């Protein structure tokens, strides 16, 4: 009788452990679904031709809330406001703290906020880097609604990093040699850059870019939010010519703003670094290494 009781107790214990193990495995599976899942979990259908047109990846990055609801998918926007690489008063008197507080702290921040609001409404564009987002929303010259905000965020990030305290003057070494090669002289380049800025109608940007196919530096003007990466150019420096970039400091004197940028603000250090990076993708010929 005791043997029967012992056998029955063992069987009951084994059954209980099996139930516990099954429950544990079920919870592990449920918990694992709360982490990154690269496959879409909603019933949203992406038209095949639309996906091909925008080069949408097959696996869209999704974030799922762990509340047990099958309809709890949620997209989390992830673009943040980058801080300029200098203190907000570091460019004075050529660009005032008041201008940067308004330009970066209001206009730039508004572009970030608007972009994130747009992306929260639709998950098709979620998961791109900012560079990729600008290119895909440009849509071969038929911009999607998200393009303006995405491109303005990119342009402004690049603009802040195109300046430095104690900037201006003349570039050195390889960058100067490339400018002299492509424009004849630095003086000629500066005249053309200034002329392009002053001749730009309305709001926009002026850029020094490296053209991949031509393998040379060129000056490019763009209107509104458009930036040269949509044409596969490699930007070296840019100058913001929207009125809010200079009105508080220079009023309507755009020429003075452009000249102060070239004399005291432009970061040729950043430009030289960008050109060196670009040369990993574009062969500019044999490097001219100075001999000591």
């Amino acid at each position: 009788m005791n043997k029967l009781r012992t056998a029955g107790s063992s069987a009951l214990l084994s059954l209980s452990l099996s139930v516990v193990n099954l429950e544990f495995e079920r919870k592990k599976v449920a918990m694992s679904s709360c982490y990154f899942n690269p496959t879409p979990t909603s019933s949203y259908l992406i038209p095949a031709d639309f996906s091909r047109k925008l080069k949408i990846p097959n696996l869209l990055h999704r974030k799922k809330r762990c509340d047990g609801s099958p309809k709890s998918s949620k997209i989390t926007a992830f673009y943040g406001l980058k801080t300029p690489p200098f203190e907000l008063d570091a460019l004075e008197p050529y660009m005032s703290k008041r201008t940067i507080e308004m330009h970066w702290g209001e206009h730039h921040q508004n572009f970030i906020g608007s972009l994130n609001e747009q992306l929260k409404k639709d998950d098709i564009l979620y998961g791109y880097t900012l560079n990729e987002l600008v290119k895909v929303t440009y849509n071969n010259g038929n911009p999607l609604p998200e393009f303006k905000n995405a491109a303005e965020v990119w342009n402004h990030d690049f603009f802040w990093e195109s300046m430095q305290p104690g900037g201006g003057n003349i570039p050195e070494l390889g960058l100067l040699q490339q400018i002299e090669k492509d424009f004849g002289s630095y003086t000629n380049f500066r005249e053309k850059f200034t002329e392009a800025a002053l001749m730009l109608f309305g709001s926009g940007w002026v850029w020094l870019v490296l053209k991949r196919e031509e393998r040379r530096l060129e000056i490019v003007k763009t209107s509104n939010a458009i930036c040269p990466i949509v044409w596969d150019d490699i930007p070296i420096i840019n100058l913001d010519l929207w009125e809010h970039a200079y009105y508080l400091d220079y009023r309507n004197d755009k020429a003075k703003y452009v000249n102060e940028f070239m004399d005291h603000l432009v970061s040729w250090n950043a430009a030289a670094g960008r050109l060196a990076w670009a040369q990993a993708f574009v062969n500019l010929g044999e490097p001219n290494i100075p001999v000591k």
Side-chain angles (χ1 to χ4, degrees):
M1 196 66 170
N2 289 335
K3 289 182 179 180
L4 287 174
R5 285 175 182 165
T6 302
S9 298
S10 298
L12 183 60
L13 178 60
S14 297
L15 180 60
S16 299
L17 289 173
S18 297
V19 171
V20 170
N21 287 335
L22 285 172
E23 180 64 13
F24 178 71
E25 292 298 324
R26 186 189 69 78
K27 287 183 176 180
K28 276 194 350 182
V29 171
M31 288 175 66
S32 68
S33 68
C34 295
Y35 295 99
F36 171 73
N37 183 356
T39 57
T41 56
S42 72
S43 59
Y44 194 97
L45 298 179
I46 304 172
D49 57 339
F50 186 69
S51 299
R52 286 193 299 270
K53 189 173 184 182
L54 294 183
K55 299 180 181 179
I56 302 297
N58 291 328
L59 301 180
L60 300 178
H61 298 283
R62 303 291 302 275
K63 290 188 178 180
K64 185 179 177 182
R65 290 180 296 187
C66 302
D67 60 5
S69 170
K71 295 182 180 180
S72 62
S73 297
K74 180 178 176 61
I75 299 304
T76 305
F78 57 90
Y79 296 108
L81 181 66
K82 288 181 67 175
T83 303
F86 42 75
E87 296 297 326
L88 300 190
D89 61 353
L91 302 183
E92 290 186 333
Y94 312 108
M95 186 173 288
S96 68
K97 180 180 180 181
R98 186 173 60 141
T99 287
I100 296 180
E101 286 176 337
M102 179 271 297
H103 192 174
W104 170 73
E106 295 181 22
H107 291 278
H108 190 177
Q109 186 169 28
N110 286 340
F111 290 128
I112 286 278
S114 298
L115 175 61
N116 287 336
E117 286 299 315
Q118 287 175 314
L119 295 179
K120 280 166 58 176
K121 298 175 184 177
D122 199 331
D123 64 346
I124 292 179
L125 297 172
Y126 182 75
Y128 286 104
T129 66
L130 189 57
N131 285 40
E132 293 168 340
L133 186 65
V134 170
K135 293 176 182 179
V136 77
T137 56
Y138 182 65
N139 196 23
N140 297 317
N142 298 295
L144 303 182
E146 296 84 358
F147 173 74
K148 175 189 173 183
N149 288 313
E152 286 290 15
V153 171
W154 196 99
N155 293 351
H156 280 85
D157 285 343
F158 196 85
F159 177 54
W160 304 127
E161 293 171 4
S162 291
M163 296 184 289
Q164 69 176 65
N169 208 347
I170 298 177
E172 299 178 346
L173 301 177
L175 177 58
L176 179 59
Q177 292 167 0
Q178 192 65 42
I179 287 175
E180 290 174 339
K181 175 183 174 184
D182 294 334
F183 295 96
S185 68
Y186 173 77
T187 300
N188 195 36
F189 155 73
R190 174 172 171 147
E191 289 176 356
K192 289 182 177 296
F193 190 90
T194 302
E195 180 183 10
L198 298 181
M199 293 296 290
L200 178 68
F201 180 76
S203 299
W205 304 76
V206 62
W207 309 74
L208 175 65
V209 305
L210 178 64
K211 292 281 187 179
R212 291 178 188 260
E213 294 299 321
E214 295 84 349
R215 296 192 296 176
R216 58 172 288 121
L217 295 173
E218 288 190 13
I219 295 166
V220 173
K221 295 183 292 183
T222 62
S223 296
N224 299 318
I226 295 177
C227 58
I229 65 171
V230 301
W231 306 311
D232 209 27
D233 294 341
I234 302 176
I236 305 299
I237 60 170
N238 72 343
L239 175 59
D240 190 344
L241 291 169
W242 285 71
E243 192 175 67
H244 60 242
Y246 61 88
Y247 187 77
L248 289 179
D249 293 331
Y250 299 98
R251 298 299 177 185
N252 294 319
D253 196 346
K254 185 191 289 187
K256 185 176 181 181
Y257 165 63
V258 175
N259 282 313
E260 296 287 40
F261 174 81
M262 297 302 291
D263 287 338
H264 302 288
L265 296 175
V266 61
S267 176
W268 292 123
N269 292 330
R274 291 163 177 167
L275 182 64
W277 176 87
Q279 287 182 275
F281 305 93
V282 180
N283 182 6
L284 297 176
E286 292 296 322
N288 186 359
I289 302 175
V291 178
K292 293 184 179 180

